[in-house]
Amino acid sequence: MDADDEPSRKRRKPSSARAAIRARTIAGVRARRRKYKYSIADLPGTPEKLSETLRPSGSPTRVSGTKVIASVKFTDAGSNSLCKVDKSLVCKGFWEAIDEVGRICLPRRSGKTYNLTQLLLFFSMSPELDYLEAMPDSVISSSGGFCAQAVSEMDVAALCHKKRECLFKDSLLQTKYPDFFAEHFMKYPVLYISLSECKGASFGIFLKALGSTLAGVAQKWIEEMDMAGTTISARARYPFEELKSALELFQKCRSLRASQMAEHAELTQSLFQALSALIAKQFGQYLLLIDEYDIPFISINLAKWSEEDKQAALDILKVLFQKMLKDNDNLRKGLLFGVFEIPLTEMGSGANNIKDIRMIPAEESDIQGSILTAAHPHSGCGMDALTDSFWFNAHEVEQMLDNSTKWCTRIAKHKAFILQTIKKWYNGYYIGRFRGKYNPWSVSSFIEALCGLLSQTTSDEEADIAAITKSAARAYWVTTGTTGLIEAQIDRHRPQFIHLAKRLLRDYEATKSKTDGGSPDKTTAAATAEPQLPPPPPVPLVATRLNLINFDSELFSEPGLLTLCLYAGYLTRRLSTSVCIPNHEVYQVWLQLFARAVLGTELADNSTNNTRGALLSELWENKTDLLCTLATSSHGVLSNHNNYLENDYANHVANTIMAVSRFGMLTHPKQRTVEVSHVVPTRENHAGIGKCDYTMRLFSSNNRPNQFGVVIEFKLIANNRREDTAYHRERAEEGLRQIGAKNYDACLVGCLERMDVGMAIGNNAVYAMSRLYKRNTVDAPWTEVKVLADSESDGSY
């Protein structure tokens, strides 16, 4: 109901600012309600409810071709069999949503380059031969209207024009909005600049790379003007000569040593200004498309230069972006693509005319505003068309799978299971007000791999198809880049990162268990009174601003790291105020990062290669070699810390054990899935007449959860006796005696098997001794044994 229709009741009087915002919001909603026939009662007020209102994409869907390959390009038109998802509405969305300059920051492989190519080839009046050379001329004749002889007689400009018509033929943009298509197709000068190569090992090399990029763009314009037979107008004659002079000067500077380039830093600005003036004087105001705009800033941030050189490079970029975006009367519209939001205004560029189109709402107010102001339902125009053109939506994924059945017929019979697998592994992203977005690179790679595997077998059994589908489901997107910025944080702030990663992993595991309906052995777990961990609290993040210019990597900032991961695609929004791991593919990355933080790089790489239950099986056999190896891992935490106490080492070992449990090293070998919930650790548990340092409940040798208990008592090795093995043994025996003397096993209620471990641990030194015990009933006395027999499973898994 509307605010003035609500029943009278006592309410807190709002502030004047809040009242003004509320009045404007209600007025806007009433206007839209009259247009779209929904009331304010349909818009829940809490952040959780508002997030639920963000709905899946509903844009028009068109998928052509049957053969899915991950590396498909927009210009791949030589074969009609290649599967391509129609994203042509991005052109209309850009034109209507961006007034001056827009910026879209999304993770890699989300469709930025694909859509940028569409924008360039749709709007640009230039031939854009670089993009079309690979397209065969036969595309024109096969599309109808021209015979092969007529095509062979066309000049280069005419060929490029016809090829671009073929690329957009029967597209959603052309069929749904023919008037817009006719008005804007190939009508504008478009200046496209990619800054992906603007980086270097030194300040001078960076300047050369930046200058080479701009010089290459300028040279391309001159060549295409010559190819099209363009006569330089009188108005453009002076900037044309200026541009040629700047290019000649830069060619001379190429032979200079990198250290001498600083004297010609202003040359980059001269190149851009001369090119900008030439285009404007010759053709009029232009569209500016900048790809990978954030790469130079990231390069500077990670560079091992002097602070003076870093600041000098930032000053050059500041002036360059100001001339590109703010002080540019030649600019009609502009669009920047990248991964991270660089605070261009804060760095003094004056570029305060940028409209940000975000992957996720940046603040709680943004998520509410995006719902209240959105066209309802999906309009197919403006911001809807622009934001829904990135990543894949559910309709597009399903259509790709349907098209693939013509290439691989057995997909149709098992479509529901395959879609479920795709959703588990690659779904979960937001952009603007749309949720449920799929990673396009991973989805395409998965379908491509699945079709290849299915073509190698003739079996149509459900179990066989399920196994093939699961084998095709693996990490694809994460292998296309590195986590360098994140790993730098891990190396500097291991303890803080471990704490954060544990929360994120536990949150994902709890959510997955809930959505999957519980673990396979749910009945058995209930029968054995398995302790249930409480649901983890969400990982909060409200503000999502990351200043990579002044990013101090020496100071740990949880919001800063979360935001870094959010923009890079390793996290997504759950609510307007919290973040989470988006899907199973990214979950694998967090496992690796967590292992790296806890175990160290070398041991982390090996931990995922251990067989199922590797550590658990050793404990049953009264062996502690692997346990000791894990206890001395992560030297970034342990080495050179002479003031560590027993409690510090106990905490580290606890983290290590939880880390390896996530790789299945503590899972029963006969379990089908890793069950982290069956690793129940307890620190300083009250038992008998004292507190034991660490206990945990694991699978027993006959595959019963929580019936094998481990009790560990730590004893500190003095720093001046790290080489004294006899002393290490004595300390470990002391720990074992303390477990028995103080009756620490009393905390293992319900356990039928147990292992006591006395662990002497110090700075890069560890020694462990252990004893195994067994009893037939929970009330019977313990009997020491040499090994625990791995009896046949009774099927309770």
Side-chain angles (χ1 to χ4, degrees):
M1 63 177 66
D2 289 343
D4 51 356
D5 296 330
E6 293 180 1
S8 176
R9 61 179 180 271
K10 187 175 181 179
R11 291 179 295 181
R12 178 172 60 88
K13 185 177 181 180
S15 66
S16 58
R18 186 177 299 166
I21 294 173
R22 178 177 174 81
R24 290 196 300 271
T25 301
I26 292 175
V29 170
R30 285 175 176 169
R32 282 181 291 280
R33 180 184 61 187
R34 290 191 293 270
K35 182 175 181 180
Y36 299 111
K37 307 299 182 186
Y38 67 92
S39 71
I40 195 172
D42 298 326
L43 298 173
T46 65
E48 292 82 359
K49 296 295 184 182
L50 285 169
S51 292
E52 292 172 4
T53 309
L54 290 175
R55 54 194 175 279
S57 311
S59 65
T61 300
R62 178 180 178 270
V63 180
S64 60
T66 59
K67 186 175 181 180
V68 177
I69 62 171
S71 57
V72 66
K73 300 182 181 64
F74 176 68
T75 52
D76 287 338
S79 174
N80 293 327
S81 65
L82 288 181
C83 184
K84 294 173 66 177
V85 177
D86 192 330
K87 297 289 188 179
S88 59
L89 292 182
V90 70
C91 302
K92 191 170 189 293
F94 160 71
W95 192 262
E96 294 173 343
I98 306 301
D99 296 324
E100 294 184 59
V101 180
R103 173 168 57 180
I104 298 179
C105 293
L106 294 171
R108 67 181 186 275
R109 303 287 184 176
S110 56
K112 298 191 298 291
T113 301
Y114 189 94
N115 284 328
L116 189 144
T117 304
Q118 285 192 93
L119 291 170
L120 176 64
L121 295 181
F122 177 78
F123 287 108
S124 176
M125 62 169 56
S126 299
E128 304 299 344
L129 180 61
D130 291 348
Y131 292 87
L132 303 171
E133 278 184 318
M135 285 181 63
D137 295 346
S138 59
V139 170
I140 301 174
S141 55
S142 62
S143 64
F146 292 91
C147 63
Q149 178 65 28
V151 172
S152 64
E153 294 174 355
M154 292 181 180
D155 59 25
V156 174
L159 274 174
C160 291
H161 189 285
K162 291 301 178 184
K163 286 181 179 180
R164 286 158 71 176
E165 286 183 342
C166 294
L167 286 173
F168 287 94
K169 184 180 180 181
D170 298 327
S171 64
L172 286 172
L173 183 63
Q174 186 184 50
T175 55
K176 292 182 68 67
Y177 304 102
D179 292 341
F180 178 88
F181 190 95
E183 181 183 355
H184 299 285
F185 183 56
M186 295 183 63
K187 294 296 197 301
Y188 306 95
V190 179
L191 177 53
Y192 166 69
I193 302 173
S194 173
L195 300 180
S196 60
E197 300 301 320
C198 296
K199 45 194 172 185
S202 67
F203 177 43
I205 296 175
F206 169 80
L207 284 179
K208 280 190 175 183
L210 181 60
S212 296
T213 295
L214 296 174
V217 174
Q219 192 62 45
K220 174 179 175 292
W221 266 90
I222 292 175
E223 291 172 357
E224 293 210 340
M225 288 171 63
D226 182 62
M227 182 192 308
T230 303
T231 302
I232 304 299
S233 67
R235 297 177 66 247
R237 175 59 58 184
Y238 178 74
F240 180 70
E241 296 299 331
E242 287 286 303
L243 180 60
K244 290 176 63 177
S245 298
L247 285 171
E248 290 174 2
L249 179 58
F250 180 75
Q251 290 299 325
K252 295 178 181 178
C253 291
R254 284 179 181 272
S255 60
L256 296 176
R257 293 194 299 271
S259 58
Q260 297 176 300
M261 281 298 298
E263 302 174 10
H264 303 276
E266 74 285 348
L267 186 56
T268 57
Q269 302 157 25
S270 301
L271 281 168
F272 175 78
Q273 285 181 293
L275 177 59
S276 175
L278 170 62
I279 298 172
K281 297 293 185 182
Q282 182 71 31
F283 304 104
Q285 285 185 312
Y286 57 82
L287 307 181
L288 177 62
L289 302 176
I290 303 179
D291 196 15
E292 309 280 12
Y293 89 99
D294 54 339
I295 289 295
F297 298 97
I298 297 173
S299 173
I300 294 170
N301 176 264
L302 295 176
K304 297 179 180 180
W305 308 347
S306 67
E307 290 302 318
E308 182 180 356
D309 283 348
K310 286 189 175 184
Q311 189 56 52
L314 289 175
D315 289 342
I316 290 170
L317 291 176
K318 176 183 72 174
V319 175
L320 180 61
F321 273 88
Q322 182 171 346
K323 294 184 180 301
M324 284 180 172
L325 307 176
K326 184 63 177 177
D327 301 336
N328 191 352
D329 295 333
N330 302 325
L331 181 64
R332 181 162 187 166
K333 288 178 184 287
L335 189 60
L336 281 64
F337 283 96
V339 174
F340 298 104
E341 282 189 22
I342 305 299
L344 297 174
T345 303
E346 287 85 338
M347 66 179 285
S349 69
N352 57 358
N353 59 336
I354 295 177
K355 179 178 183 178
D356 285 310
I357 297 92
R358 294 189 172 90
M359 174 181 65
I360 40 81
E363 313 287 352
E364 182 177 344
S365 58
D366 291 351
I367 195 170
Q368 183 171 1
S370 65
I371 295 169
L372 295 178
T373 60
H376 184 79
H378 190 296
S379 66
C381 305
M383 191 61 71
D384 279 354
L386 180 59
T387 55
D388 201 28
S389 294
F390 297 91
W391 280 311
F392 288 159
N393 61 47
H395 305 304
E396 292 165 341
V397 172
E398 185 171 2
Q399 187 63 52
M400 289 175 67
L401 213 54
D402 288 340
N403 287 18
S404 297
T405 59
K406 302 168 186 176
W407 185 265
C408 187
T409 56
R410 280 178 294 168
I411 287 178
K413 182 178 179 181
H414 308 279
K415 175 182 170 183
F417 177 75
I418 295 172
L419 281 174
Q420 183 183 10
T421 303
I422 294 174
K423 183 175 182 179
K424 171 186 174 182
W425 274 82
Y426 312 120
N427 183 235
Y429 295 101
Y430 282 71
I431 181 171
R433 67 188 181 92
F434 296 119
R435 62 178 169 83
K437 285 287 195 171
Y438 290 77
N439 186 308
W441 178 264
S442 294
V443 169
S444 300
S445 299
F446 167 82
I447 297 177
E448 181 182 0
L450 179 63
C451 291
L453 292 172
L454 288 175
S455 66
Q456 298 172 16
T457 179
T458 58
S459 172
D460 201 27
E461 294 294 328
E462 186 172 344
D464 294 336
I465 300 299
I468 291 173
T469 301
K470 290 179 180 179
S471 66
R474 55 182 181 269
Y476 296 102
W477 169 77
V478 297
T479 62
T480 64
T482 64
T483 54
L485 285 172
I486 302 173
E487 290 174 5
Q489 286 287 292
I490 296 175
D491 293 339
R492 292 183 174 92
H493 312 291
R494 285 180 189 268
Q496 298 95 326
F497 181 85
I498 288 170
H499 176 67
L500 174 61
K502 280 198 299 184
R503 290 157 57 201
L504 289 165
L505 289 168
R506 186 182 171 198
D507 172 70
Y508 177 84
E509 289 153 2
T511 303
K512 179 178 178 295
S513 177
K514 182 178 179 181
T515 55
D516 290 349
S519 62
D521 52 351
K522 186 176 180 180
T523 303
T524 304
T528 56
E530 175 188 353
Q532 295 296 313
L533 297 174
V539 179
L541 179 64
V542 177
T544 56
R545 301 289 191 265
L546 181 67
N547 190 342
L548 276 179
I549 304 303
N550 299 315
F551 188 73
D552 190 349
S553 59
E554 298 301 326
L555 297 175
F556 179 79
S557 166
E558 182 172 297
L561 179 57
L562 287 173
T563 302
L564 188 72
C565 295
L566 190 65
Y567 278 108
Y570 295 100
L571 290 175
T572 189
R573 281 291 197 187
R574 168 171 293 154
L575 308 173
S576 60
T577 56
S578 64
V579 292
C580 62
I581 296 173
N583 51 50
H584 203 65
E585 179 182 30
V586 180
Y587 171 70
Q588 304 298 318
V589 180
W590 279 97
L591 284 178
Q592 290 288 351
L593 292 174
F594 183 55
R596 175 190 171 118
V598 176
L599 307 177
T601 304
E602 182 176 353
L603 192 57
D605 293 339
N606 294 329
S607 62
T608 55
N609 298 323
N610 281 286
T611 58
R612 176 65 56 86
L615 177 57
L616 183 60
S617 297
E618 281 205 2
L619 298 180
W620 290 339
E621 297 174 4
N622 207 7
K623 297 177 181 178
T624 58
D625 293 344
L626 183 53
L627 181 64
C628 289
T629 300
L630 295 171
T632 53
S633 64
S634 189
H635 295 288
V637 174
L638 294 185
S639 61
N640 302 319
H641 287 278
N642 296 327
N643 297 321
Y644 260 58
L645 304 176
E646 292 175 13
N647 186 62
D648 298 317
Y649 289 114
N651 281 326
H652 171 65
V653 173
N655 284 327
T656 303
I657 291 173
M658 285 303 297
V660 299
S661 73
R662 288 188 160 86
F663 300 109
M665 292 174 68
L666 284 170
T667 300
H668 194 285
K670 295 182 180 179
Q671 284 289 316
R672 285 192 289 261
T673 58
V674 175
E675 293 291 338
V676 179
S677 62
H678 289 152
V679 182
V680 185
T682 307
R683 285 286 297 111
E684 293 191 343
N685 196 16
H686 287 275
I689 56 175
K691 292 180 179 180
C692 54
D693 283 336
Y694 184 74
T695 65
M696 60 181 170
R697 297 169 181 265
L698 304 168
F699 282 99
S700 65
S701 58
N702 64 350
N703 202 13
R704 293 286 185 177
N706 304 318
Q707 288 193 4
F708 173 49
V710 179
V711 183
I712 304 178
E713 182 66 26
F714 297 97
K715 292 300 175 182
L716 192 64
I717 296 175
N719 282 310
N720 60 352
R721 303 190 69 176
R722 285 182 295 176
E723 308 299 328
D724 189 345
T725 307
Y727 167 73
H728 299 172
R729 181 182 179 85
E730 180 183 332
R731 293 290 281 165
E733 289 178 336
E734 183 181 345
L736 276 179
R737 289 195 299 269
Q738 183 171 327
I739 294 174
K742 295 191 175 183
N743 196 27
Y744 286 161
D745 62 279
C747 65
L748 300 177
V749 178
C751 287
L752 299 179
E753 300 172 349
R754 120 174 178 250
M755 181 182 196
D756 295 349
V757 180
M759 183 173 287
I761 192 166
N763 190 2
N764 291 329
V766 65
Y767 191 98
M769 298 183 67
S770 62
R771 291 177 185 150
L772 281 176
Y773 299 89
K774 191 173 183 178
R775 60 186 178 186
N776 295 326
T777 66
V778 295
D779 298 324
W782 291 101
T783 303
E784 186 174 354
V785 295
K786 293 184 177 181
V787 294
L788 295 172
D790 183 10
S791 60
E792 289 297 321
S793 171
D794 57 3
S796 58
Y797 64 94

